[in-house]
């Protein structure tokens, strides 16, 4: 698998050897623009297969990362995030029994998360083609934006059939929570909660890679 699909640290190299994994991207934004960001990788539905894979050196010509390598990369990612101005309370958890890994942090403004992702890219923890300018917030205009990302269709088309299969059942969920009440949004694919303070977008990872589903959304608050 080429580096531009290694989206979430070294663990993704292991997850991409199975098609059954979930990615949860969650943002909680307060009225003043500060908040909490978390990223959860969950391959528990494939843990039996992953236990077997973890005992091998290679699968389909790809090196299988060891537990120590994954831990080292996750810890390195945490150290990088801690060094970013505006980022604090960085936490990681690694459940290798169920293959669930989480990275979370607090931010003074959502753009701090973008800066942290840029740093991960600069240190080659994220692939060079992975988008990092994901969010923006304008308190004066009372808007929060989930920015558009580029399509990966041409890269996907170049993959082998075996590599393409790993995306067949992979799921992605984005959850946005706010202290303010949502007035409107530009992408109605996001499900709005009854109290209008949270929204969710979910679908197959492949649908987002090929942009059959759009992530971008401009949210306006009351």
């Amino acid at each position: 698998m080429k580096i531009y699909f290694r989206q979430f640290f070294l663990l993704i190299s292991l997850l991409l050897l199975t098609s059954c994994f979930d990615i949860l991207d969650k943002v909680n934004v307060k009225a003043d623009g500060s908040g909490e960001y978390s990223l959860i990788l969950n391959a528990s539905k494939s843990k039996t297969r992953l236990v077997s894979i973890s005992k091998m050196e290679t699968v389909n010509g790809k090196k299988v990362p060891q537990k120590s390598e994954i831990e080292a990369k996750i810890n390195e990612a945490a150290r990088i995030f801690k060094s970013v101005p505006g980022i604090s309370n960085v936490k990681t958890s690694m459940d290798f029994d169920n293959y669930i890994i989480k990275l979370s942090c607090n931010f003074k403004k959502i753009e701090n998360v973008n800066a942290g992702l840029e740093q991960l890219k600069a240190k080659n923890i994220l692939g060079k083609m992975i988008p990092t300018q994901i969010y923006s917030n304008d308190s004066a205009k009372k808007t929060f934006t989930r920015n558009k990302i580029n399509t990966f269709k041409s890269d996907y088309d170049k993959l082998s059939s075996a590599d393409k299969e790993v995306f067949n059942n992979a799921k992605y969920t984005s959850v946005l929570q706010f202290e303010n009440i949502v007035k409107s949004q530009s992408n109605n694919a996001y499900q709005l909660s009854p109290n209008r303070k949270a929204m969710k977008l979910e679908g197959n990872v492949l649908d987002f890679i090929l942009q059959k589903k759009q992530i971008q959304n401009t949210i306006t608050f009351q």
Side-chain angles (χ1 to χ4, degrees), residues 37 81 112-122 126 131-132 134:
Y37 171 78
F81 254 73
N112 300 143
V113 173
N114 296 341
L117 296 174
E118 283 284 0
Q119 288 295 317
L120 293 181
K121 181 181 286 188
L126 291 182
T132 56
I134 301 175

Side-chain angles (χ1 to χ4, degrees), residues 18 37-38 40 42 44 50 54 59 61 69 77 89 106 111 129 135 137 148 153 165 170-171 176 182 189 201 206:
T18 176
Y37 171 78
S38 62
I40 300 173
N42 186 340
S44 59
L50 286 171
S54 66
V59 173
E69 295 178 272
N89 196 30
N106 292 107
E111 289 81 3
M129 295 182 68
Y135 307 101
N137 186 47
K148 183 178 181 178
K153 185 179 186 307
E165 286 180 3
K171 303 293 184 182
L176 304 175
V182 173
L201 176 69
L206 186 57

Side-chain angles (χ1 to χ4, degrees), residues 71-84 90 92 103 120:
E71 289 178 330
K73 281 295 183 182
I74 296 296
N75 290 332
E76 183 182 356
R79 286 193 297 271
I80 291 170
F81 254 73
K82 287 177 182 177
S83 70
V84 176
V90 178
T92 60
L103 170 72
L120 293 181

